DNA sequence: GATTATATATATCATTCTGATATATATACG
DNA sequence: CGTATATATATCAGAATGATATATATAATC
C-alpha cells in the first residue's frame, strides 16, 4: 500500500502527529505493517505541500513543536480513490499471499544444520512467544492515549479475531508436529 | 536473514546458478521469502570472491554462460555459524511475529471507505485465492527440474503442513465472520 | 538529591533492497 | 513466420529502513 494512502487512512481516524502515527505502527498495527520515521515525516510534509492534510503547530515551550496533521476533504478523496483502484491488487497479499518474509520459516528450513538442543530451545521459545502474542490479541481491556481510536474500529475486531485463530492453529500444529523436524 | 546465509543455505542443497536460486524463491519459497536478481547476483559474486562458494562456468554455445555455484567447506562453516548466532533473533518473526506487511489486512482496516459491492467482490476473490493456495500447498505430485531438492526436505513438509493448517483456519474464519465487516 | 533510563518529538542519511530495464538466445505454439 | 515465454546474467534508479542526531521532560533508582 502506498505510504501516502496509508498515512491518510490513519489520519482519517483523527488528527495526529508523525510521532503518534509511528506509535500506531508500533502498537496495534505492529503485526501487520510498519513505516519508519524516515518514511513518515517526509510523507507528511509532501501531503501537506499538496493540501491533502493541514497542519497545526502546537508550540510546547522548549520541546520541539508538535505538528498535528488533519486530513482535508481533498485528502479523504485521494485516500478513497487510491483504496478503490488498488483494492484488487491486495487480494493476493499477506498471510499466504505474497511474500511473508518469515525469518522463522527460513530458520526451520535450515534447521538440520543447527544442534538439536538449539532447535529445541528455539521451538520452546517460539511457543512461549506465540502464547504471549495470543494473549495480546485477545486482550480487550483499555489502551492508552489515542490508540483506542483504532481499537474501536469494526475491522480491527475482525482482524484481531482472525489473528487469534491463526496463532492458535499455529500453536497446535507446532506442539503436535515438532517431532517431525528431527 | 542475511542474504549471504540464505544463498549459502540454498546452495547447501546442491550446486545451482543464480537463475535457479531465483526460481526457488518464485516456486517453493514464494510464500515465505524472496530475493531479487539485483540481490542474488552481487551476493554470489561476493561469496565467490571470499571463497565461500566456487563457480564453474558452463559455456553454452551462444546463450550467456551458465555460472553454477557450489558451496565450499568454508561456506558451510560460515552458514552454520550465522544460523547459530542469529537463531534466537528469528523466534519473534514471521506469522504474527515481526512485520508481516499484509496489504490485505490494511485494506480490511480501511474497508469502510470502500463501496459494499467492492468489498464483497474483494472478499469473494480472496476466498477463491486462498482455496487455490491451499491446493498448491497440499499438492504432493512431481515438481519440475531441481526444485524437488527443496521439496524433499523434512523441514519443508513441516512448513507446508503448517501453511495448509493456517490457510484452512483463515478460510473458515473469513466465511463465518465476513458479515461482521459491514 | 543525583543519576540514569525512558518517553516525547522531529529530522536526516548511508546503506540496503527491490522492481524495472537491458541484452541475448532458444523454444514452443498457432 | 511471428509472437510469447523461458533461459541467463547484469545494472541501476528509486524506495524504504535502521541508525543516528538533537533537545527536553519525566519517571525510576540509588
Amino acid at each position: 500500500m502506498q505510504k501516502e494512502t496509508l498515512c491518510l487512512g490513519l489520519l482519517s481516524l483523527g488528527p495526529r502527529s508523525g510521532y503518534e502515527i509511528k506509535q500506531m505502527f508500533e502498537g496495534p498495527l505492529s503485526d501487520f505493517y510498519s513505516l519508519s520515521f524516515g518514511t513518515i515525516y517526509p510523507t507528511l510534509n509532501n501531503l501537506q505541500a499538496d493540501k491533502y492534510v493541514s497542519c497545526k503547530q502546537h508550540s510546547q515551550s522548549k520541546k520541539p513543536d508538535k505538528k498535528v496533521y488533519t486530513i482535508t476533504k481533498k485528502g479523504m478523496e485521494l485516500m478513497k480513490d487510491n483504496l478503490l483502484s488498488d483494492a484488487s491488487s491486495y487480494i493476493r497479499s499477506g498471510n499466504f499471499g505474497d511474500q511473508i518474509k518469515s525469518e522463522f520459516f527460513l530458520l526451520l528450513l535450515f534447521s538440520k544444520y543447527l544442534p538439536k538442543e538449539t532447535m529445541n530451545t528455539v521451538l520452546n521459545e517460539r511457543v512461549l512467544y506465540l502464547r504471549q502474542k495470543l494473549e495480546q490479541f485477545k486482550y480487550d481491556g483499555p489502551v492508552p492515549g489515542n490508540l483506542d481510536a483504532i481499537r474501536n474500529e469494526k475491522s480491527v475486531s475482525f482482524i484481531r479475531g482472525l489473528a487469534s485463530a491463526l496463532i492458535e492453529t499455529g500453536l497446535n500444529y507446532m506442539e503436535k508436529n515438532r517431532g517431525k523436524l528431527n
Side-chain angles (χ1 to χ4, degrees), chain A residues 142-178:
Chain A
V143 280
N146 47 27
L147 256 42
D148 57 346
I150 199 163
R151 263 280 296 277
N152 297 334
E153 292 284 306
K154 255 188 289 184
S155 55
V156 171
S157 312
F158 180 90
I159 297 171
R160 288 174 64 213
L162 175 52
S164 300
L166 290 173
I167 296 173
E168 261 169 7
T169 301
L171 269 169
N172 288 338
Y173 185 91
M174 294 254 304
E175 281 168 349
K176 273 181 202 153
N177 297 284
R178 59 185 287 177

Side-chain angles (χ1 to χ4, degrees), chain A residues 68-87:
Chain A
V68 175
Y69 296 90
T70 306
I71 189 166
T72 63
K73 202 179 282 187
K74 197 182 162 194
M76 284 294 284
E77 272 166 46
L78 179 66
M79 177 196 60
K80 287 181 196 176
D81 285 354
N82 287 350
L83 285 175
L84 196 55
S85 59
D86 296 340

Side-chain angles (χ1 to χ4, degrees), chain A residues 109-177:
Chain A
L109 183 61
F110 301 129
S111 56
K112 66 175 173 184
Y113 298 120
L114 285 170
K116 270 185 196 174
E117 328 132 49
T118 306
M119 271 317 290
N120 235 298
T121 312
V122 164
L123 289 172
N124 287 339
E125 283 181 40
R126 176 75 174 177
V127 166
L128 287 176
Y129 171 67
L130 287 178
R131 287 214 188 107
Q132 195 187 300
K133 268 283 151 199
L134 188 57
E135 265 179 66
Q136 268 175 44
F137 274 109
K138 288 195 161 169
Y139 169 76
D140 232 355
V143 280
N146 47 27
L147 256 42
D148 57 346
I150 199 163
R151 263 280 296 277
N152 297 334
E153 292 284 306
K154 255 188 289 184
S155 55
V156 171
S157 312
F158 180 90
I159 297 171
R160 288 174 64 213
L162 175 52
S164 300
L166 290 173
I167 296 173
E168 261 169 7
T169 301
L171 269 169
N172 288 338
Y173 185 91
M174 294 254 304
E175 281 168 349
K176 273 181 202 153
N177 297 284

